[in-house]
Amino acid sequence: MGSSSRILIIGAAGYIGRHVAKASLALGHPTFLLIRDSTASAKPDKAQLLDSFKTAGANLIGGSLEDHASLVEAVKKVDIVISTVGGEEIASQFNIIKAIKEVGTIQRFLPSEFGNDVDNSHAVEPAKSVFELKAKVRRAIEAEGIPYTYVSSNCFAGYFLPTLAQPGLTAPPRDKVVILGDGNAKAVYVNEEDIGVFTIKAVDDPRTLNKTLYLRLPANTLSFNEVVSLWEKKIDKTLEKVYIPDEQVLTLIAETPFPGNIGIAIGHSIFVKGDQTNFEIGPDGVEASQLYPDVKYTTVAEYLSKFV
Amino acid sequence: MGSSSRILIIGAAGYIGRHVAKASLALGHPTFLLIRDSTASAKPDKAQLLDSFKTAGANLIGGSLEDHASLVEAVKKVDIVISTVGGEEIASQFNIIKAIKEVGTIQRFLPSEFGNDVDNSHAVEPAKSVFELKAKVRRAIEAEGIPYTYVSSNCFAGYFLPTLAQPGLTAPPRDKVVILGDGNAKAVYVNEEDIGVFTIKAVDDPRTLNKTLYLRLPANTLSFNEVVSLWEKKIDKTLEKVYIPDEQVLTLIAETPFPGNIGIAIGHSIFVKGDQTNFEIGPDGVEASQLYPDVKYTTVAEYLSKFV
């Protein structure tokens, strides 16, 4: 298929979907975006974003996950389906699986993942349920025999680095930093644009067929202490460090009401349990920077420079 | 039944469940708590909490929502079932409905609500899906003909007031406050202990049978501007106010990845749309402070005093 494979993106206006759509267009794929009619009118910024995709050559298709006929029509137009729906719509992806099965010609499906590897998780509730639902979607894809790639892109750089994961800040802290656990578990921070590029590189690569694509970028695989240290060097200042031990994080999760508890539980999985790096990539996985050494990804050090 | 009605609480170690359990014991109800065996050993603080309930006379029953037989056994022991499961376990409540239906003797079921009235909502995604799932649970209860009370307790005081809803703070701000919308929509702030007491008062009250119990406490039904003003008077200082207009809040929701977007979308529903107070209580609802004028609830003014 090469670079001419036709791609449908479901959720292209979302946080990560917009970067996947940009990469698909930039890398020359005929790009189709499934768009709920109502959303464009509701949010001017979203309409503007969709207009920019249209100008860049994207084909906008009206439809939704709840409208089976629209979904089937959209799936029929393409070779590859990428879902980037939000965390609250994970279960709706069973509708995509049904449509792909019905159409029967899709050569690769990438469900909405873009985080921790949900098959290698030590998360506690409520993150546990969130990850298990993604795992259920994986099992349904496999049961239907649909060719797939799961993109485990680990931490969104733009979510964690601008504040060093300190709630309420708008820039990295210059006095004090709160650290979950002992700060030694390694996580992987990936720029959202790079997630888009690696994802599109993988969509028709035979090496990623029925595999998990791990974005375990060497320069960005860092412990939280290492991230803080990088930042300290940049601002030439030592921060006060407040470590929250495992038990105390668990108590915090139990005593924080929904939905605040989800984010803490995900943080516990990443920063205390080390779930992004505490396993070796097995025969069912491939590593993105090894497959695509030509992609010059943004490093954490570069990312942090803009906040100095 | 009076005060001797037997109560089963599912989720008693959780954020709101612990207050419901305390109130049940304090008001003299034979109190049964469904406890997952594994949780007590995993978290020392939780074990300590459960021990304190045991000492106060609670009957701890091993079991879980996934173990139908255990659920049926627990339901058989009581007259009333209260679910206080977390936001991620809302769908698991269909299992409780099944068990209640099978046992056939339950005189009242209170599903896990304890927030906005999900049948009067203008929430956008991802909060919309969260609320719709609670509404589906309501419809399932009604379809099975199970006697119910829905407790719409609005904002947890302990979640919003200690920081005036400013992420990352540990005390109310003394310089600047960010306000969603124009700050004029009225919300209701209720102390968690009071939620527990009003809930238990309602469980065997014929006036709350098949009704929604709204905690629309007059002294605590305040616009965000009024809450800020109360705080300003207490610290004798005027805060800088940064208002985020509706459109900008919608953009923020769209551009924040899961799970951070849920909290903002809930905030949008409460503080921009005014979903806690923008409707009149109809014939299917009753107001808690009118039914139970003897309950001396904590006012927002009193609550804020402890931070001065």
Side-chain angles (χ1 to χ4, degrees):
Chain A
M1 294 185 290
S3 68
S4 68
S5 59
R6 299 163 300 169
I7 297 177
L8 171 68
I9 300 164
I10 302 171
Y15 181 80
I16 206 69
R18 61 187 63 193
H19 297 288
V20 173
K22 272 181 207 163
S24 178
L25 291 160
L27 293 174
H29 290 274
T31 302
F32 298 76
L33 314 178
L34 189 76
I35 302 298
R36 271 190 296 259
D37 303 322
S38 58
T39 52
S41 59
K43 298 169 194 169
D45 284 15
K46 204 165 191 172
Q48 205 174 354
L49 180 71
L50 296 176
D51 276 347
S52 76
F53 289 145
K54 218 169 161 178
T55 307
N59 302 284
L60 274 56
I61 308 176
S64 79
L65 297 184
E66 285 69 45
D67 177 355
H68 179 67
S70 75
L71 207 47
V72 166
E73 278 315 298
V75 169
K76 274 185 184 163
K77 294 183 196 295
V78 299
D79 309 298
I80 285 157
V81 177
I82 304 175
S83 166
T84 56
V85 300
E88 72 286 356
E89 290 187 293
I90 295 302
S92 304
Q93 295 182 114
F94 294 110
N95 299 346
I96 305 177
I97 294 171
K98 198 178 154 198
I100 289 175
K101 188 71 187 169
E102 187 173 320
V103 172
T105 55
I106 289 302
Q107 300 183 36
R108 197 81 64 95
F109 175 42
L110 285 70
S112 194
E113 289 264 348
F114 307 107
N116 285 16
D117 178 11
V118 296
D119 283 331
N120 283 290
S121 176
H122 301 83
V124 298
E125 291 292 7
K128 186 166 174 272
S129 293
V130 171
F131 293 158
E132 282 175 351
L133 191 54
K134 284 188 175 178
K136 268 187 203 166
V137 171
R138 289 187 177 189
R139 298 300 88 81
I141 292 167
E142 293 155 12
E144 295 292 357
I146 296 168
Y148 62 84
T149 300
Y150 307 139
V151 180
S152 174
S153 59
N154 296 313
C155 290
F156 298 144
Y159 196 61
F160 290 93
L161 297 182
T163 63
L164 296 193
Q166 308 298 300
L169 297 191
T170 52
R174 287 171 182 263
D175 48 356
K176 194 178 92 170
V177 61
V178 175
I179 298 171
L180 301 186
D182 62 12
N184 290 326
K186 283 185 192 280
V188 190
Y189 303 88
V190 190
N191 182 275
E192 287 77 354
E193 291 184 17
D194 297 331
I195 295 174
V197 172
F198 281 120
T199 299
I200 297 299
K201 288 267 183 190
V203 290
D204 49 12
D205 185 334
R207 297 173 297 174
T208 61
L209 178 63
N210 297 342
K211 303 271 188 201
T212 298
L213 178 74
Y214 294 94
L215 275 58
R216 205 177 276 187
L217 315 180
N220 292 1
T221 303
L222 301 168
S223 72
F224 204 87
N225 287 329
E226 288 170 331
V227 173
V228 171
S229 175
L230 269 175
W231 175 240
E232 287 177 327
K233 273 177 207 146
K234 284 195 188 293
I235 60 171
D236 195 22
K237 204 185 156 194
T238 302
L239 303 187
E240 180 196 343
K241 288 156 202 88
V242 180
Y243 292 92
I244 308 187
D246 191 348
E247 279 305 335
Q248 216 172 309
V249 178
L250 292 175
T251 301
L252 190 63
I253 294 166
E255 292 179 354
T256 302
F258 178 91
N261 54 354
I262 305 177
I264 311 171
I266 292 174
H268 176 260
S269 162
I270 297 171
F271 300 115
V272 181
K273 293 293 179 184
D275 279 344
Q276 295 187 342
T277 57
N278 61 12
F279 60 96
E280 284 189 30
I281 297 174
D284 293 337
V286 285
E287 199 284 316
S289 64
Q290 286 181 22
L291 290 192
Y292 313 111
D294 53 315
V295 176
K296 297 285 167 251
Y297 62 83
T298 302
T299 66
V300 172
E302 288 162 358
Y303 201 104
L304 288 174
S305 290
K306 61 180 164 185
F307 301 105
V308 174
Chain B
M1 294 185 288
S3 67
S4 67
S5 60
R6 299 163 300 170
I7 297 177
L8 171 68
I9 300 165
I10 301 170
Y15 181 79
I16 206 68
R18 61 186 65 192
H19 297 288
V20 174
K22 272 179 209 165
S24 179
L25 291 161
L27 293 174
H29 289 274
T31 301
F32 299 76
L33 313 178
L34 189 77
I35 302 298
R36 271 189 297 259
D37 303 323
S38 57
T39 52
S41 59
K43 297 168 193 167
D45 285 16
K46 205 167 192 172
Q48 205 175 354
L49 181 71
L50 296 176
D51 275 347
S52 75
F53 289 145
K54 219 167 159 180
T55 307
N59 302 284
L60 274 56
I61 307 176
S64 79
L65 298 183
E66 286 68 44
D67 178 354
H68 179 68
S70 74
L71 208 47
V72 166
E73 278 314 299
V75 169
K76 274 184 185 164
K77 294 184 197 295
V78 299
D79 308 299
I80 286 158
V81 177
I82 304 176
S83 165
T84 56
V85 300
E88 72 287 355
E89 290 187 293
I90 295 302
S92 304
Q93 296 182 113
F94 294 110
N95 300 347
I96 305 177
I97 294 171
K98 199 177 152 201
I100 289 175
K101 187 72 187 169
E102 188 173 320
V103 172
T105 55
I106 289 301
Q107 301 185 35
R108 198 81 64 94
F109 176 41
L110 285 70
S112 193
E113 289 263 348
F114 307 106
N116 286 15
D117 179 12
V118 296
D119 283 331
N120 283 290
S121 176
H122 301 81
V124 298
E125 289 293 4
K128 186 165 174 274
S129 293
V130 172
F131 293 158
E132 282 175 352
L133 191 55
K134 283 188 176 179
K136 269 187 203 166
V137 172
R138 288 187 178 189
R139 298 301 87 81
I141 292 167
E142 294 155 11
E144 296 291 358
I146 295 168
Y148 62 84
T149 299
Y150 306 140
V151 180
S152 174
S153 59
N154 296 310
C155 289
F156 297 143
Y159 197 60
F160 289 93
L161 297 183
T163 63
L164 296 192
Q166 308 297 298
L169 297 191
T170 51
R174 288 171 182 262
D175 48 356
K176 195 176 92 170
V177 61
V178 175
I179 298 171
L180 301 186
D182 62 12
N184 290 326
K186 283 186 194 281
V188 190
Y189 303 88
V190 189
N191 183 274
E192 287 77 356
E193 290 185 16
D194 296 332
I195 295 174
V197 171
F198 281 121
T199 299
I200 298 300
K201 287 266 183 191
V203 290
D204 49 12
D205 185 337
R207 297 172 298 173
T208 61
L209 177 63
N210 296 342
K211 303 271 187 200
T212 298
L213 177 75
Y214 293 95
L215 274 57
R216 206 177 275 186
L217 315 180
N220 292 4
T221 303
L222 301 168
S223 73
F224 203 87
N225 287 330
E226 287 170 332
V227 172
V228 171
S229 175
L230 268 176
W231 175 241
E232 287 178 327
K233 273 178 208 146
K234 283 193 188 294
I235 60 171
D236 195 23
K237 202 185 160 193
T238 302
L239 302 188
E240 180 195 343
K241 289 160 199 84
V242 180
Y243 292 92
I244 308 186
D246 192 349
E247 279 305 335
Q248 218 171 306
V249 178
L250 292 175
T251 300
L252 190 64
I253 294 166
E255 292 179 354
T256 302
F258 178 91
N261 54 355
I262 305 178
I264 311 171
I266 293 174
H268 176 262
S269 163
I270 297 171
F271 299 115
V272 181
K273 293 292 179 185
D275 280 344
Q276 295 187 343
T277 57
N278 62 12
F279 61 95
E280 285 187 29
I281 296 174
D284 293 336
V286 284
E287 200 284 315
S289 65
Q290 286 180 22
L291 291 192
Y292 314 110
D294 53 315
V295 176
K296 298 286 166 248
Y297 61 82
T298 301
T299 67
V300 172
E302 287 163 358
Y303 201 103
L304 288 175
S305 290
K306 61 180 163 185
F307 301 106
V308 174

